[in-house]
Amino acid sequence: MFKRLAEAGAAVALTVDGKPVRAVSGDTVAAALLAAGIDHCRTTPVTGAPRAPYCLMGICFDCLVTIDGVGSRQACLVPVSEGMKVETQQGKREAGR
Amino acid sequence: MRTADVVIIGGGLHGCSTALHLALRGLRPILVEKDYAGRHASGVNAGGVRQLARHIAEIPLSIASMALWENIEDLVGDDCGFSSHGTVLVAESEQELAGFRARVDDLRLKGFAHEELIDHAELKRLVPAVSDDCPGGVVSRRDGAADPFRTTQAFRRRAIERGAAVIEGVSVTGLARNGSVWRVETSDGPIEAPKVVNAAGAWADRIAAQLGEPVPLEVIAPMLMVSSRVPPFIDPVVILRGRKLSFKQLANGTVVIGGGHLAVSYRDENRTVLDWTKLATSARTVWELFPAMREATIVRAWAGIEARMPDEIPVVGPSRTSEGVFHQFGFSAHGFQLGPATGAVMAELVATGATNLPIDGLGIERFKA
Amino acid sequence: MNAVDLASSYDLIVIGGGPAGLAAASLAARAGVSTVLFDENPGVGGQIYRGITSTPVTNRLILGEDYWAGEALANEAEASGAVVVNGATVWSLDPERVVGVSIAGKARLIEARRVIIATGSQERPFPIPGWTLPGVMTAGAAQTVLKAQGLLPDGRTVMAGTGPLMWLLAAQILRAGGKIEAILDTTPRRNFLRASPHLPDFVLSPYFAKGLALLREVKAKVPVRRVSSVAAVGDGKLREVVSDRGRMPADLLLLHQGVVPNVNLALAAGTAHAWNERQLCFQPVLDDHFESSVPGIAVAGDGAGIAGGTAAAERGRIAAIAAVRALKPAAAVPDPQSVRQRLRREEMGRAFLDWLHRPADSFRQPEGDTLACRCEEVTARQVRETADMGCEGPNQMKAFLRCGMGPCQGRLCGLTITELIAAQRKTTPAEVGYYRLRPPVKPITLAELASLPISEAERKAVER
Ligand SMILES: Cc1cc2nc3c(=O)[nH]c(=O)nc-3n(C[C@H](O)[C@@H](O)[C@H](O)COP(=O)(O)OP(=O)(O)OC[C@H]3O[C@@H](n4cnc5c(N)ncnc54)[C@H](O)[C@@H]3O)c2cc1C
Ligand SMILES: Cc1cc2nc3c(=O)[nH]c(=O)nc-3n(C[C@H](O)[C@H](O)[C@H](O)COP(=O)(O)OP(=O)(O)OC[C@H]3O[C@@H](n4cnc5c(N)ncnc54)[C@H](O)[C@@H]3O)c2cc1C
Ligand code: FES
């Protein structure tokens, strides 16, 4: 859905659901997911529908993911860092357990 | 001028329940509510339907209520979101457990068997997520929880279906005797009725004061917070004694955390200001007791305006000064469970002048100066 | 800066680091007022200047000169002596001006003698069928990653909606070498009639020439169609966009129908709000100095009512001047009259823009199975039926349907629910009112809350 205009920043290595993803310093987690072509980051607790980041400004909460074991974090507000473990969230798996 | 058999002041669960039970007795009540039914304590409480840990004077009412809760759909045509998974009072130390044992034994002697002492193993069976350090507790197995707003609305709806009138957005501004009837002044004109029920919650002291029987009602605003949906991990409602905590997971996965820490309240403005330092204390308690909850997110917090009496039991019974007026207020942060039966008792009292169920010790005369 | 390094009180706390917050904090700090600015984003700039200190988009033509104007504001704040904390989420503000803030997983309660809320705006909800599908985003979202991370839409991109920002983003995408398959313009034709009395003011405003140039730039490269319905279709992700003018395959649909004040924090602080019929949103009730109904709390910038980035900065300055005068009467401040004059000039073209880009009812008041509340997945039909059953307000609706009770706390359904109830009950949004909002205005983890320093907690507990 998105491509990078310029490879400006330094490379940052993350994993998403255990698979390596290359991000760039200055990315938020949500931007890194979009740039990596990951099509959804969670499913809803009510019907299990897939969701992806919608507003990228902290309003919609559709970008909720588990980051380094902490559930329901807003991926669009958290900057990436080396070695970060991102997990997509399924339904009610929001307690980070 | 509007007339009725009974005017009920206040559309909380208590007013609505009394309206329904009066209508079921064939009377025509008018209920007057200044905001909307369930706007205050009755619509925003924690929904705990517990008999556990109640003052002896209100145990008969509580037990009678439990029987109604268990068949709530027959009464109001809605299940009110009621489910029964028990309430567990967790002891955090051996010493605390010993105190609980004494209470349970004492209740037995008085003929009440709903509270049951449990050991560590049974506690872990009922509440696997609780911290291993807790030696035991007390359970009341028939207790449960319901959806407060839905419950209040269900009582309101059924009361109307059975012939009560409910007027919302209208306040009672005064009342005076007019021959054999009471003339109740409202912001929308007077209503006359031979009987009046004061179910005005945290504002009920103002009505009592007008009748020349002031009460030391304290306006409080217990706070609650709720988490985002988490996987099911706890069935019963859990309460603590030493540290203030009540804790329950709803069917939709969210967890409601309360326990009696208070917000600052402004009853004239229908407003409360949350106290985060105290909510942080609750958070720390949960953090210690339920490690699984540590990374859960708190999505909302709120407080409800409630009446507390100095002895923490309600005022239920006839006015001391004014014939035909009855009081039903001061539920001191645990009146949701009592709603169904207190309405029935009040209707009986209004209609017949007496009640079968003992309400000794709950009268307003206890505050006579 | 970490939570533990913050002082326990400041003269002034500014919440939000967009133009309003940056201008306010700079002015106050320069006047010698101890000032801290909290913003939850990793960098300052707010929405208009997102990524201004770090953007990888170095070709200045792409984002345009209006974007780069933000550099001066950011530099000014940096040099002013204000403490600027990014990654700082404010989750609570009470009428006593105690601010709850979380930084890197730790929470603090910080007191202030004055507070300026500068939390800006958000895009208006755009509830069309399929708007929750992956592949559907707001135009502002695409713009945010373009500015901050240099990400450009790739694949078949369609835009739909109305309003100046949509055209600005289209131009920015094109200048960056991106491609847009089509723009579905949802502006109702008859809007022009309503807007035309305000045309003379608009012509004199700074927006006029810029606006026309943008339109020309975009229309030269992208087919534009007027539509009166839009739906996103796909199974698990966007496949095509369907309108009354046909269907087209798409990988990315960018939606936009204007911006509205971000009211959550101001409402939770207990400030009075009123319905703005021209801008179709709630906004705080403010005096001449942008002071709210709660003493000591001001709301500046687009959060005070939409007027644009330049106006936001001027509003921030006016609020800051009032704060400085209250806190340090002897301090030198800029002449408020000249600030006001600039503000008036900025606000001139607004009425025309608002009426022209007023979204059609059908795009604000959905029908049938279209989701009104994304979080709890509540449909428009459910809301309408519940209103018909007698539900009079959004707070009761919440209790019946759980709409507004998910993690976004009503941000993306609040206006929709209010408008649906008003439509169904044949009354006005002003009459229906808005959700009663409470802190936390952003979810916080239990661990964060438990991390509030105990000493602070105990001290406050004694004071109360
Ligand atoms: C997505 C989007 C993109 C936009 N792009 C443009 C544009 O390119 N050009 C243009 O002219 N106008 C744009 N606007 C319009 C915008 O409203 C501008 O007029 C301008 O940014 C408003 O400035 P402000 O200072 O009032 O608020 P903003 O710039 O919106 O800044 C508010 C800041 O407050 C922060 N904040 C909010 N809540 C909290 C909280 N609880 N805790 C901590 N921080 C918080 C936000 O992170 C944000 O940085 C855009 C609006 C949106 C919503
Ligand atoms: C946060 C919280 C959690 C709680 N948790 C529990 C729990 O888990 N279990 C439990 O059993 N109990 C609980 N409670 C207590 C319970 O909610 C109350 O005891 C009970 O709802 C009281 O009902 P009520 O009808 O007396 O009062 P209210 O619900 O307060 O109703 C009184 C009504 O009277 C109206 N009124 C007042 N004056 C006038 C007037 N002059 N004219 C017209 N109308 C008027 C008010 O607007 C109000 O709606 C909790 C309370 C709170 C606040
Ligand atoms: S994408 Fe909307 S909150 Fe992150």
Side-chain angles (χ1 to χ4, degrees):
Chain A
M1 273 191 296
F2 286 88
K3 65 175 182 216
R4 285 188 200 276
L5 262 184
E7 296 283 331
V12 176
L14 344 166
T15 62
V16 177
D17 293 332
K19 293 190 207 73
V21 162
R22 224 177 59 91
V24 172
S25 86
D27 279 358
T28 58
V29 172
L33 294 177
L34 290 172
I38 287 158
D39 63 10
H40 73 277
C41 61
R42 69 170 185 128
T43 58
T44 61
V46 180
T47 64
R51 292 284 171 88
Y54 175 73
C55 74
L56 292 174
M57 60 170 287
I59 294 289
C60 73
F61 290 75
D62 267 329
C63 63
L64 296 181
V65 291
T66 299
I67 299 179
D68 291 334
V70 180
S72 296
R73 302 209 53 200
Q74 286 179 279
C76 68
L77 295 179
V78 180
V80 293
S81 63
E82 186 64 31
M84 193 176 245
K85 288 194 185 59
V86 178
E87 292 160 79
T88 57
Q89 288 191 174
Q90 309 305 323
K92 288 183 199 174
R93 246 192 61 89
E94 288 185 17
R97 294 184 306 146
Chain B
M1 157 131 41
R2 290 187 82 143
T3 60
D5 292 331
V6 186
V7 171
I8 300 165
I9 309 169
L13 178 58
H14 282 274
C16 292
S17 174
T18 297
L20 169 58
H21 287 287
L22 283 168
L24 290 176
R25 286 176 171 270
L27 294 174
R28 277 184 325 107
I30 294 182
L31 182 152
V32 183
E33 163 58 49
K34 68 181 170 61
D35 298 308
Y36 57 82
R39 164 71 174 84
H40 295 289
S42 297
V44 304
N45 64 60
V49 177
R50 82 178 150 81
Q51 309 172 86
L52 187 73
R54 283 190 179 269
H55 189 288
I56 189 86
E58 60 180 26
I59 287 179
L61 265 182
S62 181
I63 290 175
S65 255
M66 209 62 224
L68 292 179
W69 275 111
E70 284 169 342
N71 297 291
I72 199 76
E73 189 149 9
D74 296 344
L75 183 62
V76 296
D78 187 312
D79 68 18
C80 298
F82 175 73
S83 65
S84 167
H85 295 286
T87 306
V88 175
L89 171 63
V90 176
E92 291 194 89
S93 67
E94 287 294 347
Q95 192 193 357
E96 206 174 25
L97 189 61
F100 293 171
R101 181 175 297 117
R103 155 145 174 128
V104 170
D105 290 346
D106 183 50
L107 284 181
R108 295 262 144 151
L109 285 177
K110 296 191 164 107
F112 299 118
H114 57 285
E115 294 195 9
E116 186 186 319
L117 200 76
I118 52 172
D119 61 9
H120 177 75
E122 177 67 356
L123 176 64
K124 283 299 268 191
R125 194 184 68 80
L126 291 171
V127 193
V130 79
S131 153
D132 284 334
D133 304 333
C134 302
V138 183
V139 63
S140 172
R141 297 192 193 265
R142 281 167 63 201
D143 289 7
D147 179 337
F149 188 75
R150 185 165 155 196
T151 303
T152 308
Q153 287 289 319
F155 273 85
R156 170 189 177 276
R157 201 177 322 117
R158 185 46 66 94
I160 294 171
E161 285 164 12
R162 292 293 181 266
V166 172
I167 308 177
E168 295 173 301
V170 171
S171 326
V172 169
T173 52
L175 65 173
R177 219 169 162 107
N178 186 5
S180 63
V181 297
W182 285 94
R183 183 182 160 100
V184 179
E185 301 292 343
T186 79
S187 53
D188 193 35
I191 310 172
E192 277 188 357
K195 306 273 167 67
V196 176
V197 175
N198 173 18
W203 298 261
D205 56 330
R206 295 188 171 156
I207 308 286
Q210 280 198 26
L211 301 169
E213 45 186 350
V215 285
L217 177 154
E218 184 192 359
V219 180
I220 60 169
M223 296 186 287
L224 293 174
M225 20 181 200
V226 65
S227 78
S228 56
R229 297 165 187 259
V230 298
F233 76 106
I234 189 165
D235 289 330
V237 181
V238 170
I239 58 178
L240 295 187
R241 245 303 150 71
R243 298 189 279 178
K244 294 178 178 165
L245 185 72
S246 85
F247 187 88
K248 123 166 104 281
Q249 183 167 31
L250 305 181
N252 63 28
T254 60
V255 175
V256 179
I257 301 168
H261 286 296
L262 302 180
V264 182
S265 54
Y266 303 89
R267 65 171 161 173
D268 290 327
E269 299 163 41
N270 282 351
R271 196 163 69 84
T272 58
V273 175
L274 301 180
D275 186 333
W276 284 96
T277 60
K278 294 185 193 145
L279 288 172
T281 308
S282 300
R284 272 190 287 276
T285 309
V286 174
W287 199 83
E288 284 166 22
L289 221 57
F290 299 105
M293 282 292 293
R294 289 183 184 180
E295 303 306 339
T297 46
I298 301 299
V299 291
R300 269 171 299 121
W302 68 93
I305 301 180
E306 166 74 331
R308 179 163 73 189
M309 306 313 294
D311 48 11
E312 301 202 33
I313 51 174
V315 178
V316 178
S319 158
R320 177 168 57 81
T321 58
S322 313
E323 206 193 323
V325 179
F326 301 84
H327 295 297
Q328 183 181 0
F329 66 85
F331 288 90
S332 307
H334 45 256
F336 179 63
Q337 191 269 350
L338 297 176
T342 310
V345 165
M346 186 50 65
E348 186 187 6
L349 185 62
V350 170
T352 70
T355 70
N356 274 319
L357 200 92
I359 49 172
D360 311 341
L362 301 181
I364 195 165
E365 57 283 352
R366 69 185 197 270
F367 298 114
K368 192 172 170 187
Chain C
M1 164 158 308
N2 277 319
V4 287
D5 303 326
L6 290 169
S8 62
S9 74
Y10 291 84
D11 287 341
L12 173 66
I13 294 180
V14 178
I15 304 163
L22 288 171
S26 310
L27 190 151
R30 277 222 302 261
V33 165
S34 79
T35 303
V36 65
L37 182 154
F38 295 128
D39 191 294
E40 67 178 334
N41 269 281
V44 296
Q47 305 314 339
I48 177 167
Y49 308 131
R50 170 72 71 229
I52 190 71
T53 57
S54 61
T55 179
V57 187
T58 44
N59 177 349
R60 294 201 164 216
L61 294 178
I62 294 179
L63 296 175
E65 59 177 289
D66 284 351
Y67 174 77
W68 290 99
E71 262 184 329
L73 271 177
N75 292 339
E76 194 185 326
E78 166 97 48
S80 70
V83 179
V84 175
V85 194
N86 280 106
T89 299
V90 171
W91 44 266
S92 165
L93 165 63
D94 75 18
E96 304 297 317
R97 298 174 308 283
V98 177
V99 172
V101 61
S102 276
I103 303 164
K106 293 274 183 288
R108 284 288 301 274
L109 292 173
I110 312 284
E111 288 174 61
R113 294 165 68 197
R114 307 281 290 207
V115 170
I116 298 176
I117 298 176
T119 50
S121 65
Q122 63 164 78
E123 288 170 277
R124 179 189 297 283
F126 203 150
I128 56 163
W131 69 311
T132 51
L133 279 174
V136 181
M137 288 182 137
T138 70
Q143 198 199 30
T144 297
V145 281
L146 176 60
K147 289 171 179 168
Q149 283 90 26
L151 293 185
L152 190 65
D154 195 20
R156 294 160 303 183
T157 303
V158 175
M159 297 179 84
T162 183
L165 260 177
M166 181 174 76
W167 299 100
L168 173 60
L169 172 65
Q172 290 169 331
I173 290 174
L174 297 172
R175 291 176 204 154
K179 189 161 180 294
I180 299 165
E181 303 293 324
I183 294 181
L184 307 179
D185 184 350
T186 61
T187 313
R189 279 185 201 283
R190 62 179 181 285
N191 277 6
F192 190 80
L193 226 61
R194 196 85 184 264
S196 54
H198 305 283
L199 189 57
D201 271 354
F202 180 64
V203 171
L204 294 175
S205 82
Y207 295 103
F208 176 66
K210 282 187 205 165
L212 277 187
L214 264 186
L215 278 183
R216 229 177 289 123
E217 182 183 350
V218 173
K219 286 186 171 170
K221 291 193 178 153
V222 182
V224 176
R225 273 168 233 162
R226 286 272 184 159
V227 299
S228 53
S229 76
V230 181
V233 177
D235 188 12
K237 84 188 217 198
L238 177 69
R239 196 179 64 241
E240 56 179 2
V241 178
V242 179
S243 74
D244 54 323
R245 301 277 303 272
R247 342 170 59 95
M248 56 175 74
D251 302 305
L252 184 62
L253 170 62
L254 301 175
L255 297 173
H256 180 84
Q257 52 176 351
V259 298
V260 295
N262 180 351
V263 290
N264 284 50
L265 186 65
L267 277 174
T271 64
H273 280 61
W275 177 253
N276 177 332
E277 179 54 29
R278 192 178 94 200
Q279 297 190 336
L280 295 167
C281 58
F282 286 94
Q283 65 184 47
V285 178
L286 303 168
D287 72 8
D288 261 8
H289 305 283
F290 296 96
E291 174 119 352
S292 75
S293 62
V294 177
I297 298 182
V299 187
D302 272 358
I306 303 305
T310 317
E314 305 299 359
R315 288 167 163 192
R317 291 189 182 104
I318 292 173
I321 291 171
V324 173
R325 288 201 165 146
L327 295 165
K328 263 198 161 196
V333 289
D335 170 24
Q337 282 325 309
S338 63
V339 182
R340 281 184 194 281
Q341 226 161 34
R342 290 200 299 272
L343 177 58
R344 261 194 303 278
R345 201 167 54 239
E346 281 302 320
E347 289 174 344
M348 250 173 89
R350 266 294 135 188
F352 179 82
L353 288 175
D354 289 344
W355 288 118
L356 183 66
H357 299 295
R358 186 182 177 88
D361 290 355
S362 60
F363 287 114
R364 308 190 324 271
Q365 298 159 18
E367 312 251 357
D369 290 331
T370 302
L371 291 184
C373 165
R374 297 170 63 99
C375 295
E376 294 291 323
E377 299 180 70
V378 178
T379 66
R381 177 182 299 113
Q382 284 174 287
V383 175
R384 288 182 186 269
E385 286 177 359
T386 309
D388 286 345
M389 270 168 44
C391 178
E392 293 180 353
N395 296 300
Q396 296 97 305
M397 193 63 79
K398 227 155 103 167
F400 285 117
L401 297 178
R402 285 190 60 79
C403 55
M405 292 175 87
C408 98
Q409 299 167 310
R411 286 174 171 84
L412 278 181
C413 67
L415 288 172
T416 312
I417 300 293
T418 294
E419 287 210 58
L420 282 177
I421 298 174
Q424 218 59 21
R425 299 188 64 84
K426 312 228 167 352
T427 171
T428 60
E431 203 53 45
V432 170
Y434 198 70
Y435 288 133
R436 209 160 38 241
L437 292 176
R438 299 282 212 152
V441 296
K442 300 285 300 218
I444 50 172
T445 66
L446 191 97
E448 267 171 309
L449 186 52
S451 80
L452 268 186
I454 292 192
S455 55
E456 207 166 83
E458 283 170 349
R459 186 174 56 77
K460 297 280 312 167
V462 175
E463 278 171 15
R464 292 233 163 151

